[in-house]
Amino acid sequence: MSDKKFYITTPIYYPSEKLHIGHAYCTVATDAMARYKRMQGYDVMFLTGTDEHGQKIEDKAKEAGVTPQAYVDGIVDGPKGVRDLWKLMNISNDRFIRTTDDYHVAAIQKIFKAMYDKGDIYKGTYKGKYCKPCESFWTESQLVDGKCPDCGREVVDAEEEAYFFRASKYADRICDLLTNTDFLQPRSRVNEMVNNFINCEGGLQDLCVSRTTFSWGVPVDFDPKHVVYVWLDALFNYMTALGYQNDKYNDLDKFWPADIHVVGKEIVRFHAIYWPAFLMSLDLPLPKKVYGHGWLNFNGEKMSKSKGNVIDPYMLSERYGVDALRFFLLRTFPFGSDGNFTNELLIQTINTDLANDLGNLVSRSTAMSDRYFGGDLTTGGKHEPLDDELKALADEVVGKYETAMEQMQFSVALGEAFRLISRANKYIDETTPWTLAKDEANKPRLLSVMKNLCEAIRVAAILISPVMPSTAQSIFDTLGVPEAGRTFEAVSYESGDDCFWKTTTAAPLFPRIDMEKEIDELNKILDDAKKEAEKAQKKAEKAAEKAEKKADKAEEESGIISIDDFMKVELRAAKVLEAVPVEKSDKLLKIQVDMGTEHRQIVSGIRAWYSPEDLIGKTIVVVANLKPAKLRGEMSNGMLLAADIGDAASVIFLPDEVPAGQRIH
Ligand code: ME8
């Protein structure tokens, strides 16, 4: 094994939904880098995985009616899950970590405790806004129009006990790391951090690193009503997966610190500020680099489940082949910037670069080798200066390719490989082998031309192999390249006169796609997805409505009514004008009252305790909007208020000065 080591990671993705093209983009890029480094003789550790704790996962599982563990198991290990996707996409990760793995959970508990013992984690109060029905804490900035972002209801000020990490203590060192070293790349990301998240004069606020409002997380073992904040839990995966604070693995000394963490721009903040601060707290070496890549949009819009425009890498891989998709992703979008994914661009790239330029070069060259030499390109030939031009270009391209790959500039590196491919196509036009073939005397020259073509293709295949591993192998096989000629050590162009090739012809590498027909099909798939999303949206709305009704009903049943409910009851002051017993009843009194704007008759069951004289002239409280009822043949247009005291009733009297008809709240 080589002593050149290289440790590279992707983010560990949330298995809250199926992964999409954005996740595939990052993983393919990281894979290409891992393969490139292996090709260069490095001993590579390539880690990916899933980040399985937190409120979002807990909520999703609840929605699905399963336990959080069952939910994530399905998305990670289930059919067409995360592992299947990476297998399909030829991802060469050496390890896969799940944050629910026992060894990781136990390690996180030890890490949290160590930071606590050191005094870098302390107990404090987390102040925020609380939504009672959702039982959720929100920060001011998370609120939508000052209301709960989930349900839109009012929130109240609230506090909860929480643990905090003393990030403030490390602010100076983090600022130095960001501004005076190459730790964070591309450089533009440094400005994003310094302008938005860390103020190099004003410092850094301490970070809340525990939660008590949900339970799906790593429990703080010395205070188990708290779970560890999901980012602290997640970031340490990069070390626990090597054996930090656990016995499952034993590669920490060999591979830590990481050479590069590849992450999307939105999580650079966690990787470039808090992650180094956590490591500083434990006196651990910092990773050498964090690379914040750009985001892919679809047709100019952010991909989102509710819009139904989330692109499925499974579907695209199955339709166009994994290598075509991998190539498209890395050739088209400069890695450090945002990119706009469109179906037209995808098909155009496959047709132009892969079917036309690369595919045709390989099929034309091998077909001619077959036609003119039966695939037997023996030693000998006739050299011409044009061959040196091809070699010179190949040498130049290899150098530029390496520089670009070292800087994660995949689109530039592939551009260089394709410069060689185009030059080789031009070489065919310049040498016109079909003309040479007409005259037996030109045979040695024709042989040289064929061998130079094969050599140019071989070099190009080595260069594209980290991005298109299967395609590179098929090309090597078709050209009959021995193992030694497939490695990066053999990348330099050998003037072909003395080499020997035994080529075969193969099926086209990339069949041309009928753009119009294919776009129609893809649009249909997209429309279906949009309809699906709308349906899901409606279903979710209905479910929310139902849940709200259920909550209201529960409130009702628990005896609580809203102020609106109370205001529906119209209570008014009334003066008793007259009261007489109802015939044939020993309970009821028939009472005439003045309600201010009208006189009314009400019938009340208080005869046992009140005689007419007790009431006449008094001011009582009447429910004025009660549905009229007939009692013993008498109409009652309202109800007077009285307290039930044991087996008697006590009428509520108001002071005389309250005018008849006055509304009472
Ligand atoms: O953030 N374009 O996980 P996540 C490009 N669990 N890349 C995209 C993308 C898009 N539209 N959408 C996602 C998390 N990505 C945490 C990480 S690491 C210790 C914890 C890629 O599932 C991109 O790399 O939200 C982004 O950073 C990552 O997926 C976020 O994945």
Side-chain angles (χ1 to χ4, degrees):
M1 270 283 156
S2 149
D3 55 352
K4 295 199 297 185
K5 313 222 166 33
F6 192 76
Y7 179 29
I8 185 166
T9 65
T10 71
I12 49 170
Y13 305 109
Y14 291 125
S16 48
E17 310 270 358
K18 294 232 160 205
L19 300 191
H20 59 62
I21 198 75
H23 302 108
Y25 177 53
C26 179
T27 308
V28 165
T30 309
D31 183 61
M33 195 62 191
R35 287 175 181 272
Y36 166 75
K37 285 288 172 181
R38 279 191 207 110
M39 179 166 98
Q40 289 204 319
Y42 281 80
D43 185 358
V44 171
M45 169 63 76
F46 167 18
L47 173 72
T48 189
T50 41
D51 180 3
E52 307 189 352
H53 291 125
Q55 171 118 49
K56 199 157 78 181
I57 304 268
E58 190 178 281
D59 291 350
K60 279 272 165 191
K62 207 182 278 173
E63 243 172 64
V66 295
T67 63
Q69 190 65 57
Y71 183 83
V72 293
D73 285 352
I75 296 215
V76 177
D77 286 333
K80 295 201 171 185
V82 179
R83 284 192 213 260
D84 276 1
L85 176 63
W86 297 154
K87 211 163 145 200
L88 172 72
M89 294 198 73
N90 217 346
I91 301 302
S92 64
N93 57 300
D94 300 286
R95 216 158 267 179
F96 188 102
I97 184 170
R98 301 180 57 180
T99 55
T100 52
D101 289 340
D102 290 346
Y103 74 92
H104 173 81
V105 170
I108 292 301
Q109 291 183 322
K110 287 189 202 153
I111 290 164
F112 196 92
K113 180 74 168 39
M115 287 161 91
Y116 179 76
D117 287 345
K118 204 178 162 186
D120 273 356
I121 285 181
Y122 61 91
K123 207 177 210 176
T125 341
Y126 177 77
K127 292 197 175 76
K129 302 284 176 186
Y130 189 67
C131 174
K132 279 189 198 156
C134 296
E135 293 179 28
S136 299
F137 258 99
W138 303 107
T139 59
E140 194 81 50
S141 62
Q142 287 174 314
L143 302 181
V144 177
D145 298 331
K147 305 228 166 88
C148 171
D150 270 0
C151 72
R153 285 187 253 215
E154 295 291 337
V155 289
V156 291
D157 286 323
E159 297 186 349
E160 68 167 349
E161 179 191 278
Y163 288 92
F164 286 82
F165 169 68
R166 243 178 253 289
S168 50
K169 188 169 151 189
Y170 300 100
D172 289 347
R173 284 176 67 191
I174 300 291
C175 266
D176 183 53
L177 180 71
L178 292 179
T179 52
N180 299 327
T181 74
D182 287 335
F183 173 74
L184 176 57
Q185 295 193 346
R187 191 72 199 172
S188 55
R189 301 275 175 237
V190 172
N191 304 334
E192 289 170 13
M193 287 305 106
V194 174
N195 293 339
N196 300 322
F197 300 110
I198 176 167
N199 174 342
C200 288
E201 275 85 54
L204 191 58
Q205 275 191 355
D206 289 354
L207 178 73
C208 181
V209 288
S210 78
R211 297 287 187 272
T212 52
T213 47
F214 61 89
S215 58
W216 182 239
V218 177
V220 174
D221 52 359
F222 56 89
D223 196 352
K225 75 171 194 280
H226 293 261
V227 294
V228 175
Y229 177 43
V230 70
W231 273 101
L232 195 149
D233 169 5
L235 285 162
F236 273 99
N237 91 87
Y238 301 130
M239 289 188 75
T240 60
L242 298 180
Y244 181 60
Q245 297 285 18
N246 68 83
D247 296 330
K248 165 111 175 151
Y249 296 111
N250 204 6
D251 304 297
L252 198 68
D253 292 344
K254 184 167 168 189
F255 285 113
W256 191 258
D259 289 272
I260 185 160
H261 294 311
V262 184
V263 302
K265 63 176 184 179
E266 86 292 0
I267 57 172
V268 162
R269 168 162 83 102
F270 297 100
H271 287 82
I273 296 176
Y274 298 114
W275 178 223
F278 292 156
L279 293 169
M280 285 171 188
S281 163
L282 294 170
D283 295 316
L284 291 164
L286 306 186
K288 293 180 200 153
K289 255 181 200 114
V290 169
Y291 191 96
H293 70 79
W295 265 47
L296 292 188
N297 293 322
F298 181 69
N299 290 340
E301 283 188 331
K302 198 174 163 196
M303 280 185 269
S304 91
K305 189 144 187 265
S306 60
K307 278 193 216 142
N309 66 352
V310 176
I311 302 302
D312 176 10
Y314 233 101
M315 180 271 286
L316 293 180
S317 297
E318 282 173 347
R319 256 185 127 74
Y320 308 114
V322 169
D323 276 7
L325 180 60
R326 290 172 59 114
F327 173 78
F328 168 69
L329 290 173
L330 297 192
R331 171 70 185 105
T332 313
F333 311 111
F335 197 50
S337 325
D338 289 351
N340 187 23
F341 187 117
T342 69
N343 289 332
E344 287 79 1
L345 202 52
L346 168 66
I347 292 165
Q348 190 192 319
T349 305
I350 295 176
N351 280 346
T352 310
D353 289 357
L354 298 182
N356 278 4
D357 293 356
L358 176 59
N360 274 346
L361 175 65
V362 175
S363 61
R364 281 164 91 197
S365 304
T366 51
M368 289 191 290
S369 162
D370 192 44
R371 192 174 319 133
Y372 306 136
F373 298 97
D376 229 344
L377 305 178
T378 51
T379 47
K382 183 169 177 284
H383 184 87
E384 278 192 11
L386 189 63
D387 307 347
D388 298 330
E389 261 185 49
L390 192 57
K391 175 179 163 43
L393 186 93
D395 290 347
E396 183 194 324
V397 154
V398 170
K400 290 193 168 160
Y401 167 91
E402 271 191 279
T403 310
M405 283 302 281
E406 291 299 331
Q407 296 167 352
M408 310 285 286
Q409 304 261 351
F410 304 104
S411 57
V412 176
L414 287 170
E416 289 299 319
F418 271 69
R419 215 146 63 84
L420 178 58
I421 289 164
S422 298
R423 184 66 190 82
N425 271 320
K426 192 169 154 217
Y427 179 84
I428 297 181
D429 299 339
E430 288 165 340
T431 53
T432 56
W434 47 92
T435 318
L436 293 173
K438 283 183 189 151
D439 187 347
E440 192 61 23
N442 290 329
K443 215 70 215 239
R445 178 60 196 147
L446 183 58
L447 184 61
S448 262
V449 167
M450 289 292 101
K451 290 201 288 190
N452 275 297
L453 278 173
C454 289
E455 180 62 358
I457 297 171
R458 183 188 69 85
V459 172
I462 294 175
L463 301 184
I464 62 170
S465 65
V467 177
M468 294 197 279
S470 316
T471 303
Q473 289 310 315
S474 320
I475 294 175
F476 293 140
D477 291 347
T478 311
L479 297 180
V481 181
E483 279 309 316
R486 304 178 180 203
T487 64
F488 200 73
E489 273 180 342
V491 76
S492 81
Y493 188 104
E494 297 287 331
S495 306
D497 301 342
D498 294 325
C499 15
F500 174 88
W501 300 85
K502 180 105 189 67
T503 69
T504 47
T505 42
L509 292 171
F510 299 97
R512 253 192 96 77
I513 300 167
D514 179 336
M515 169 79 97
E516 225 171 280
K517 206 170 129 223
E518 196 58 26
I519 292 293
D520 278 353
E521 301 254 330
L522 289 175
N523 282 343
K524 236 183 263 156
I525 294 175
L526 199 64
D527 279 350
D528 287 349
K530 278 193 178 147
K531 275 184 206 140
E532 245 350 270
E534 272 166 28
K535 244 199 246 162
Q537 181 86 13
K538 276 199 188 125
K539 203 171 145 199
E541 274 167 20
K542 261 198 192 142
E545 216 172 274
K546 212 167 139 194
E548 190 149 348
K549 270 195 190 140
K550 202 169 149 198
D552 287 349
K553 200 163 164 231
E555 268 180 10
E556 222 175 278
E557 277 165 5
S558 69
I560 296 167
I561 60 167
S562 70
I563 181 80
D564 292 343
D565 289 338
F566 173 71
M567 290 306 283
K568 284 187 205 144
V569 183
E570 195 183 322
L571 299 176
R572 292 196 184 272
K575 305 273 179 200
V576 179
L577 302 170
E578 201 186 308
V580 293
V582 173
E583 277 174 33
K584 290 183 268 164
S585 163
D586 48 8
K587 287 202 182 119
L588 299 177
L589 280 179
K590 187 165 73 176
I591 308 165
Q592 307 301 325
V593 293
D594 175 5
M595 302 279 296
T597 52
E598 58 175 327
H599 289 184
R600 282 194 192 186
Q601 167 172 300
I602 60 178
V603 177
S604 179
I606 54 172
R607 179 168 166 191
W609 308 287
Y610 290 89
S611 59
E613 303 77 70
D614 298 330
L615 299 170
I616 292 169
K618 295 271 175 59
T619 309
I620 58 172
V621 184
V622 170
V623 182
N625 58 344
L626 205 60
K627 202 165 149 196
K630 215 174 216 179
L631 301 172
R632 296 272 161 160
E634 295 289 349
M635 277 311 290
S636 180
N637 289 315
M639 186 176 92
L640 64 75
L641 296 193
D644 244 334
I645 41 172
D647 54 1
S650 173
V651 172
I652 296 172
F653 294 112
L654 293 172
D656 288 345
E657 59 269 26
V658 179
Q662 174 68 50
R663 179 100 197 235
I664 293 159
H665 307 299

